Amino acid sequence: MALLSPIVVLPLLGFVLNGLIALSGRRDPVALRAVTLIGCVLPLLAFGFAVRALWALEAHPEAALIEPLFTWAVIGEHHFAIDLYLDRLSALMALIVTGIGSLIHLYSSGYMKGDAGYARYFAYLNLFLFFMLLLVLGHSLLVVFVGWEGVGLVSYLLIGFWFKDTLNAKAGKKAFIVNRIGDAGFLLGIFALFSLVGSLQLDIIQQHFLHEDIPVITATVIGLLLFIGAMGKSAQLPLHVWLADAMAGPTPVSALIHAATMVTAGVYLVARLSGVYEAAPLALAIIASIGVATALFAATVALVQTDIKKVLAYSTVSQLGFMFIALGVGAYGVAIFHLFTHAFFKACLFLAAGSVIHALQGEQDIRKMGGLARALPLTFIAFAIATAAIAGLPPLAGFFSKDEILWFALSSSQGGHGVLWGLAALSAFLTAFYMFRLLWLVFLGQPRTEPALRAQLHEAPWNMNIPVLLLAAGSLVAGFWAVPGYLHTLLPAPAIMPALAGWHGGVAGLAIALALAGLGLAVWRYGGSRYQPAPAGAPMAFGLQNLLTNAYYVDALYQRTLRTPLQFIAQHLLWRWSDQRLLDGSLHLAAATARLTARLLAYLHNGQVQWYLWLALLGLVLAVLLS
Amino acid sequence: MSEAVVLNLVLWLPVVGALLIPLLPRERDAPVYTLAFAVMLVQLLLVIWLFVRFESGVSGLQFATQIPWIAAWGVAYHIGLDGLNLLLVLLTALLGPLVVAGAVRTITHSVKLFYAMLLVLQFAMLGTFLAQNLFLFYLFWEAMLIPMFLIIGIWGGERRIYATVKFVLYTAFGSIFMLVAVIYLGLAAHAAQGAPSFAFSDLYALELALPVQTLLLLAFTLAFLIKIPSIPLHTWLPDAHVEAPSPGSVMLAGVLLKMGAYGFLKLGLPMLPEAAKLFTPVLMSLAVASIIYGALLAWVQDDIKKIVAYSSISHMGYVMLGLLSYELLGIQGAIMQMVSHGLISAGLFFMVGMLYERTHHRELAVFGGLAKWMPVYALFFMLLALASVGLPTTSGFTGEFLVLLGAFYGAWPAFVQGESHYALILASLAVLGVILGALYMLRLVRRLLFGPAQAPGGQPADLSRRERMILATLVLAIFTLGIYPKPFLHKTEQAALDYQRLLLEPTPAQEGL
């Protein structure tokens, strides 16, 4: 029996059924219950099938499972097959996608209750799972790309889910277009790989790079092109600008798509094609540099954000940066490890934030929160666990994966460096600080909520609390599974610089100290009743805060240096001047010339016989004179 | 019934229909469009039957008819299907009944003349695709102009006279040069073989000197580039589209624009291979420039029809790029892209027309948030927009992906060996179209469908069942070609290979050099 196709097909079926209900426009309780049932049960079944497939894989872990579906096209000797592929890496990804995906579907049934677009929402969410599973289970880059574009599309649709608000629709559009810039790079990488290898199948590409002698320049260019795609999807500098705006979508979407799964696709892609990067040290160095720059950049921006989701969004960008640091020093398995633990604690943080927003009837400004722990104890506990996890406090999940990243950033023989470690450690310190700041401002200290709202505060319903608590449990224990070891046969760890052997314990201790320092600083700064938020609209205290609040003005910079000039070129240079003046103008000039000539000739040909006689006489005179 | 007879029936049915229309009662419109629809539908069914019967992997014509006509000039009535025209004939036949169904509410005066013209147009378009004799091809090519001229000129918008004259003058200008080339080729065939002939097969075998080839290709290129249209010969298109009634726009974008590319594919390039090689860098540059230029202009338009019109220029650039890739992937991609663009642009023009019928407006600024008022309209518009952006599972992806892959793959060896760099650079630049396509199409979608709902005259009614059927047909075709293009590509592969061989294989004359 087919092992892999049910994993992919079940969510697709959910999309079709829920899409039909959405189209029918039915909103009666029966239809809504059907939507919930279809939307939640099918992903859970897909998770079950993913577990079963993993079981089958573990029987012979060295041989990947391959399930051919159909052939998309045959052109000459090139076969474009649509096959599914399962090895330990894709199995892990499929488990994250279906497992955390199922929890978020369940949570959504509470969060989105009563929304006019309930069925449409679940249809999109199921469709997202389908494309995401294609992405991670695709055997060839063609299938991966189909999934890649598909998740981008659903992300666009869900960011703009409440499309009546222009801002939401604009945020969706921005996400799509920035991602398309990445996609253009990804496509070029695919084309180059196809030209070089003659195939788009991942294992063939990987083998080709292992066994053939590929010129370094070729591998570097291909690696960087693919990385451009990863930068778009995984919101790395300078293509990070869409993710903060993407928070316009419903909060469970932020948890699933913009934290746990889709945005990690870039990390998966680089790890999946590690063979290419092993042949391209320069590309790896660039990835590490961009990773650490993004980690630090986003961490600083997160320090001053006042929207609970924006803090988490920048934190996601920063954590993705950590994953790219690991990739950049050749520690692919460690990057996937952090991807795995991050999926738990970041999904937990977003869902808990969703519960807060839900309880506060849409309020997202942390200056108007505070002291919510008493009213939302379960949410608080989950949020606190996940915060400790992301801050890297042992023995929570984030500690293990982040510790490994910091260790390899320092010690990897494939580009480990003190500066890289220093900047990453600084980012880790900032992470602990801004996350505990968030925890304090939202849940502890003096309540700053509207008094009328305070009376109505209540904990979220069970279908929202259970996923949050399960994810919190995951954030507690996920780090105990040594993912890099599990993936070792596929993604071997890089060698350690001999001089640093034996220093791992010390480096880890330093990391813990930094996390505690961040915690302490946050408590000192925001703890107790010390913190008083600046009233809205008050001038910012100093320039740096302005700079950070506006995320270093990167959006404004792009607006000025890219969009406005391009618009000017299109509008004035190409359209007004080239199309209308030059091309149509010369056409009209030619037409006018023809008309004028015709009119002049018409004078000669005016039908008066005397005039013809005069002309004939003139001609005769001229002929005589000239002869 | 033999297939050749059926193919003739396919071609001549519209003429029969057009001749029957005057016999119908004058008072009512219904019998007129019912007849036109029936004719188009029967034609479509026959074409589908032929498509199924069409054998893959066989070179040359199938279901051909050849009857001497003007023997003294070597002109014959010679039609047939091959892999190059197969999908285009299918596309034309598919759009036929849809256009009739779409015109029912749009065309309110001179109804009989309109449907007669539509049928004549259908005849001329099919004739152009099916003709296997250059003289016949030229006759059909020119014959297309007349009904299109009238459709824009009689049923068009306010500036219809300007637009239709511009359209005709542009096209006729190109055609004059083509006519000279046609006559020259006929004479050359006469000189080479001792008997007059305009048969394509004879013309492919001609061995012409390079300077002659160059001049001939210049003449053909002018005619074809205008028709595609490629920059800088494109300015007739936005005007023609804006002024044309929406059935006219659908036919113009859906089929007529394919004629230029088909011309290159069928005769321009394979007949004059050495000159084609010489021209490739220039034509490829024009193709890539069209992709980018058309997309940027589509981005700054305020008239919805102009957005779709300029997007056509961009999308047809991919077709040229694929044809010039000299690579099977690219050639197959170009054929796919032609069909895909025919379906998508037809759908979009239908949808602009449907909105115009309800509101009598086409300016983007007056609309917003239609997804709230017209959910079905929004759904179809979204699907067509995504296909236009080239998202996977739509035909737009199949076409664009194969074209770009083919262009890149074809250019790679020369690039790696350091022989020539331009082709790979151009293919890489063409990928910019992927970004720009999203830029203009999502701008359109955002403004039209999202945000607060607004439309002139209040809430427009959502799509009727007739309109849904039209769009559903197109969307179904778009997704079929996106998800499972294999059977279609299979039917065209042999012809694409033959085309590639004609381009690449040195002729005996060249070997002698």
Side-chain angles (χ1 to χ4, degrees):
Chain A
M1 194 188 153
L3 273 170
L4 303 180
S5 47
I7 308 175
V8 176
V9 170
L10 285 167
L12 180 65
L13 183 68
F15 161 68
V16 172
L17 295 175
N18 279 334
L20 288 175
I21 297 176
L23 278 183
S24 77
R26 279 183 58 175
R27 292 206 198 129
D28 52 295
V30 180
L32 293 183
R33 209 164 301 147
V35 169
T36 313
L37 205 65
I38 295 164
C40 295
V41 170
L42 291 179
L44 197 63
L45 275 176
F47 176 68
F49 276 99
V51 171
R52 194 183 71 143
L54 179 69
W55 202 265
L57 175 73
E58 287 305 322
H60 310 278
E62 297 316 313
L65 299 176
I66 296 172
E67 187 181 329
L69 294 183
F70 67 100
T71 302
W72 182 66
V74 180
I75 290 163
E77 74 267 31
H78 304 297
H79 286 246
F80 296 91
I82 307 293
D83 298 348
L84 300 180
Y85 180 85
L86 192 91
D87 59 4
R88 284 182 162 181
L89 177 57
S90 45
L92 182 63
M93 293 299 291
L95 285 177
I96 296 172
V97 173
T98 52
I100 293 183
S102 297
L103 291 178
I104 292 172
H105 277 71
L106 177 62
Y107 179 93
S108 298
S109 70
Y111 191 86
M112 296 301 287
K113 194 178 169 198
D115 193 283
Y118 190 74
R120 181 166 60 94
Y121 173 85
F122 271 95
Y124 288 167
L125 221 53
N126 284 177
L127 184 65
F128 171 77
L129 284 192
F130 165 70
F131 279 125
M132 192 67 209
L133 288 163
L134 270 190
L135 198 168
V136 299
L137 293 175
H139 188 199
S140 85
L141 276 174
L142 176 67
V143 185
V144 173
F145 189 75
V146 172
W148 187 274
E149 293 289 290
V151 291
L153 163 68
V154 186
S155 162
Y156 161 76
L157 292 172
L158 281 168
I159 294 169
F161 182 73
W162 290 305
F163 58 80
K164 282 157 211 163
D165 188 337
T166 308
L167 280 180
N168 298 347
K170 277 190 175 166
K173 190 183 84 168
K174 181 175 172 185
F176 195 96
I177 287 167
V178 174
N179 266 293
R180 274 259 145 169
I181 296 172
D183 295 348
F186 188 14
L187 268 180
L188 284 173
I190 291 178
F191 297 155
L193 275 177
F194 183 78
S195 305
L196 183 72
V197 182
S199 168
L200 290 176
Q201 290 197 357
L202 292 163
D203 44 354
I204 293 180
I205 293 170
Q206 195 83 347
Q207 290 303 316
H208 189 90
F209 274 82
L210 280 178
H211 300 300
E212 303 282 323
D213 197 20
I214 310 287
V216 175
I217 176 75
T218 310
T220 306
V221 170
I222 291 177
L224 289 177
L225 286 171
L226 296 171
F227 178 56
I228 292 174
M231 275 159 50
K233 222 19 120 235
S234 297
Q236 296 297 291
L237 289 178
L239 297 182
H240 64 284
V241 287
W242 64 273
L243 190 61
D245 292 19
M247 296 300 120
T251 306
V253 169
S254 313
L256 178 62
I257 301 182
H258 304 120
T261 56
M262 183 188 84
V263 290
T264 63
V267 180
Y268 170 76
L269 180 72
V270 172
R272 185 41 95 195
L273 291 170
S274 59
V276 176
Y277 292 96
E278 288 297 295
L282 180 62
L284 278 185
I286 290 173
I287 291 177
S289 312
I290 288 192
V292 78
T294 308
L296 190 59
F297 164 91
T300 55
V301 175
L303 295 175
V304 297
Q305 296 302 313
T306 52
D307 180 316
I308 184 169
K309 288 184 72 179
K310 287 267 161 81
V311 178
L312 295 178
Y314 280 108
S315 142
T316 305
V317 174
S318 177
Q319 296 301 308
L320 290 165
F322 275 102
M323 297 176 208
F324 281 99
I325 296 173
L327 294 171
V329 296
Y332 309 100
V334 173
I336 299 295
F337 189 21
H338 198 55
L339 186 165
F340 175 70
T341 59
H342 177 259
F344 285 99
F345 55 71
K346 188 51 66 61
C348 180
L349 287 169
F350 264 115
L351 293 190
S355 296
V356 170
I357 296 166
H358 195 70
L360 296 177
Q361 298 173 9
E363 184 58 71
Q364 296 187 196
D365 190 337
I366 54 176
R367 288 169 301 191
K368 297 179 186 165
M369 297 182 183
L372 291 173
R374 198 165 308 150
L376 307 169
L378 293 176
T379 309
F380 166 65
I381 291 170
F383 200 95
I385 292 172
T387 300
I390 193 178
L393 290 179
L396 289 95
F399 164 72
F400 294 98
S401 53
K402 200 179 282 178
D403 166 59
E404 295 261 306
I405 292 177
L406 290 172
W407 167 240
F408 280 108
L410 181 67
S411 69
S412 164
S413 60
Q414 285 182 269
H417 197 281
V419 176
L420 190 63
W421 176 82
L423 293 174
L426 177 60
S427 312
F429 164 71
L430 293 175
T431 307
F433 174 73
Y434 70 71
M435 281 311 299
F436 281 109
R437 163 184 177 264
L438 183 65
L439 181 73
W440 242 270
L441 289 185
V442 173
F443 288 101
L444 302 168
Q446 293 295 316
R448 296 180 301 276
T449 40
E450 309 273 332
L453 208 57
R454 217 175 294 163
Q456 302 172 15
L457 281 180
H458 57 89
E459 187 63 274
W462 68 270
N463 49 358
M464 289 166 70
N465 276 335
I466 287 181
V468 172
L469 292 172
L470 282 176
L471 287 168
S475 314
L476 269 175
V477 299
F480 292 111
W481 183 27
V483 170
Y486 178 66
L487 297 175
H488 182 74
T489 46
L490 288 171
L491 304 169
I496 301 294
M497 286 188 232
L500 287 164
W503 281 85
H504 192 169
V507 174
L510 213 52
I512 297 168
L514 282 171
L516 288 172
L519 164 66
L521 192 63
V523 174
W524 174 75
R525 175 82 178 77
Y526 298 101
S529 52
R530 202 185 301 246
Y531 174 72
Q532 282 300 324
M540 294 283 183
F542 51 101
L544 181 62
Q545 188 165 5
N546 250 332
L547 187 68
L548 295 182
T549 307
N550 291 294
Y552 297 86
Y553 295 100
V554 175
D555 271 327
L557 182 76
Y558 287 173
Q559 183 78 26
R560 295 242 174 96
T561 59
L562 291 174
R563 200 179 176 283
T564 309
L566 192 65
Q567 177 123 29
F568 179 82
I569 289 171
Q571 177 101 32
H572 294 280
L573 240 56
L574 295 186
W575 188 36
R576 297 270 180 227
W577 190 80
S578 162
D579 235 43
Q580 295 196 315
R581 289 255 176 88
L582 183 70
L583 297 175
D584 265 359
S586 33
L587 188 73
H588 293 156
L589 188 69
T593 315
R595 206 175 302 133
L596 191 70
T597 319
R599 197 164 298 156
L600 287 177
L601 289 175
Y603 278 119
L604 298 179
H605 203 81
N606 61 6
Q608 291 177 8
V609 183
Q610 302 97 308
W611 170 244
Y612 293 160
L613 280 174
W614 277 113
L615 280 182
L617 199 61
L618 188 68
L620 185 67
V621 171
L622 279 174
V624 170
L625 283 178
L626 292 173
S627 63
Chain B
M1 191 159 54
S2 103
E3 289 92 343
V5 177
V6 175
L7 190 60
N8 279 294
L9 208 57
V10 164
L11 178 60
W12 290 96
L13 253 179
V15 180
V16 176
L19 290 175
L20 286 176
I21 282 181
L23 306 179
L24 294 171
R26 182 186 302 239
E27 302 77 35
R28 292 193 307 127
D29 297 345
V32 182
Y33 58 71
T34 311
L35 175 78
F37 184 77
V39 167
M40 296 284 204
L41 193 65
V42 171
Q43 185 188 46
L44 172 61
L45 294 174
L46 293 177
V47 169
I48 291 174
W49 187 74
L50 288 174
F51 176 79
V52 174
R53 306 276 297 178
F54 187 87
E55 250 182 274
S56 316
V58 180
S59 285
L61 293 176
Q62 301 189 27
F63 322 143
T65 305
Q66 187 169 13
I67 302 166
W69 180 17
I70 313 173
W73 297 352
V75 178
Y77 171 78
H78 187 189
I79 63 164
L81 279 175
D82 61 9
L84 301 183
N85 62 20
L86 179 68
L87 291 186
L88 292 168
V89 168
L90 190 60
L91 170 72
T92 311
L94 178 71
L95 290 181
L98 299 183
V99 166
V100 174
V104 168
R105 297 267 177 281
T106 316
I107 302 302
T108 48
H109 69 91
S110 321
V111 173
K112 283 176 135 184
L113 183 61
F114 178 81
Y115 288 102
M117 282 306 113
L118 207 55
L119 288 165
V120 170
L121 180 65
Q122 186 81 352
F123 167 69
M125 293 188 305
L126 285 170
T128 314
F129 287 135
L130 292 173
Q132 301 299 332
N133 181 292
L134 185 55
F135 196 89
L136 192 66
F137 175 88
Y138 185 79
L139 285 184
F140 279 122
W141 175 279
E142 291 295 287
M144 280 186 302
L145 263 185
I146 301 159
M148 204 60 221
F149 171 73
L150 293 176
I151 286 175
I152 301 176
I154 297 178
W155 295 276
E158 268 171 33
R159 290 173 73 232
R160 58 181 181 271
I161 301 301
Y162 169 77
T164 200
V165 168
K166 195 172 176 181
F167 163 67
V168 167
L169 283 185
Y170 245 115
T171 323
F173 177 74
S175 301
I176 290 168
F177 292 93
M178 185 162 117
L179 179 62
V180 175
V182 167
I183 293 170
Y184 184 92
L185 278 168
L187 293 175
H190 195 161
Q193 302 175 337
S197 171
F198 282 99
F200 280 148
S201 46
D202 291 335
L203 300 180
Y204 289 143
L206 284 179
E207 287 151 27
L208 300 167
L210 188 56
V212 177
Q213 283 199 19
T214 309
L215 282 174
L216 290 176
L217 190 62
L218 263 178
F220 278 127
T221 300
L222 201 60
F224 296 156
L225 285 187
I226 287 172
K227 208 77 162 189
I228 283 180
S230 164
I231 64 164
L233 302 167
H234 63 278
T235 59
W236 63 269
L237 183 78
D239 284 311
H241 269 310
V242 166
E243 299 307 324
S246 75
S249 286
V250 169
M251 275 308 182
L252 191 57
V255 185
L256 255 71
L257 299 192
K258 309 297 160 311
M259 295 301 173
Y262 179 72
F264 275 116
L265 178 68
K266 184 74 183 180
L267 50 119
L269 302 176
M271 229 169 253
L272 310 159
E274 280 92 53
K277 233 160 270 163
L278 205 65
F279 272 68
T280 299
V282 181
L283 290 176
M284 230 176 147
S285 308
L286 279 178
V288 174
S290 291
I291 292 174
I292 294 169
Y293 188 102
L296 281 174
L297 259 75
W299 183 45
V300 294
Q301 300 305 315
D302 290 317
D303 184 316
I304 304 174
K305 257 193 165 178
K306 276 200 176 171
I307 298 177
V308 186
Y310 278 108
S311 84
S312 290
I313 296 168
S314 185
H315 283 143
M316 290 306 290
Y318 287 107
V319 177
M320 280 307 290
L321 183 64
L323 292 184
L324 294 162
S325 69
Y326 291 74
E327 173 53 51
L328 190 61
L329 286 159
I331 300 161
Q332 287 279 61
I335 295 175
M336 256 309 138
Q337 175 73 358
M338 277 197 251
V339 181
S340 166
H341 175 261
L343 297 169
I344 296 166
S345 62
L348 286 170
F349 276 121
F350 269 127
M351 296 214 72
V352 181
M354 289 166 188
L355 194 60
Y356 185 78
E357 275 169 41
R358 286 164 169 76
T359 60
H360 299 284
H361 280 274
R362 278 191 323 259
E363 312 89 278
L364 199 45
V366 303
F367 294 106
L370 293 182
K372 185 183 170 214
W373 282 342
M374 308 166 78
V376 180
Y377 183 90
L379 173 71
F380 278 115
F381 201 93
M382 193 64 154
L383 291 174
L384 289 168
L386 295 175
S388 170
V389 173
L391 240 60
T393 71
T394 68
S395 60
F397 174 72
T398 311
E400 273 182 31
F401 182 78
L402 291 179
V403 163
L404 291 172
L405 182 65
F408 202 95
Y409 185 71
W412 180 266
F415 182 82
V416 173
Q417 285 152 24
E419 285 164 11
S420 113
H421 297 107
Y422 79 91
L424 197 88
I425 292 168
L426 285 175
S428 306
L429 282 177
V431 176
L432 285 178
V434 167
I435 304 170
L436 298 176
L439 205 58
Y440 66 76
M441 216 56 212
L442 293 193
R443 168 179 175 264
L444 172 59
V445 165
R446 213 277 295 152
R447 301 225 175 158
L448 191 64
L449 304 183
F450 302 146
Q454 64 170 56
Q459 177 169 359
D462 208 344
L463 297 183
S464 69
R465 213 171 69 184
R466 175 182 59 89
E467 292 167 326
R468 287 176 201 201
M469 292 299 284
I470 295 170
L471 296 170
T473 311
L474 288 171
V475 166
L476 187 71
I478 286 168
F479 278 93
T480 307
L481 289 182
I483 295 170
Y484 197 49
K486 191 176 139 204
F488 299 90
L489 291 167
H490 189 54
K491 298 242 181 201
T492 63
E493 176 155 306
Q494 191 57 46
L497 276 171
D498 294 339
Y499 161 83
Q500 189 191 22
R501 193 168 312 127
L502 283 172
L503 278 185
L504 288 180
E505 269 183 16
T507 55
Q510 204 185 18
E511 273 169 357
L513 286 173

